[in-house]
Amino acid sequence: MQDKNLKPNQNQNLILENRRNLSISGITDVDSFDEKAICLYTHLGELTIQGKELHIDSMSVETGDMTITGDIWSIIYGDKERKSPVSFLGRLFR
């Protein structure tokens, strides 16, 4: 059953291969990234990837696709309502 709030081209897929290669679709924005965590936003809300030696291999702004390599420990969905970064003032009052 498909979510009625999503348009047909706003699907999100995660493909994890051997805990080393992750392909994600449906990305709308990247909040932050380093070797230990990548925080981003998708059509379905916040998404955080945690691990070791994480590296963004490719990202397409047009299609919203991203490929990540590294030792992936966790994939965490956050707030479903937050689909874009919070402003500085928004973080202060959170």
Side-chain angles (χ1 to χ4, degrees):
M1 188 167 148
Q2 198 168 11
D3 190 350
K4 294 178 183 176
N5 295 331
L6 288 178
K7 295 177 184 171
N9 62 348
Q10 290 185 333
N11 291 328
Q12 184 193 15
N13 295 304
L14 298 171
I15 301 171
L16 180 60
E17 300 174 31
N18 300 321
R19 293 184 64 172
R20 301 265 332 144
N21 301 310
L22 178 63
S23 299
I24 308 171
S25 65
I27 295 172
T28 58
D29 199 2
V30 177
D31 187 34
S32 64
F33 61 93
D34 60 25
E35 290 183 341
K36 296 179 182 177
I38 300 173
C39 301
L40 47 91
Y41 297 91
T42 71
H43 297 294
L44 298 177
E46 293 178 286
L47 183 65
T48 302
I49 296 93
Q50 295 178 337
K52 181 177 162 188
E53 299 175 1
L54 298 178
H55 183 263
I56 297 174
D57 285 339
S58 66
M59 180 175 171
S60 171
V61 177
E62 292 84 24
T63 62
D65 295 338
M66 178 184 282
T67 305
I68 299 169
T69 58
D71 191 9
I72 298 169
W73 297 343
S74 67
I75 300 171
I76 304 164
Y77 277 101
D79 190 354
K80 208 174 192 180
E81 302 302 316
R82 286 197 45 217
K83 297 179 181 170
S84 63
V86 175
S87 68
F88 176 72
L89 288 176
R91 288 183 196 163
L92 286 176
F93 296 107
R94 209 168 153 193

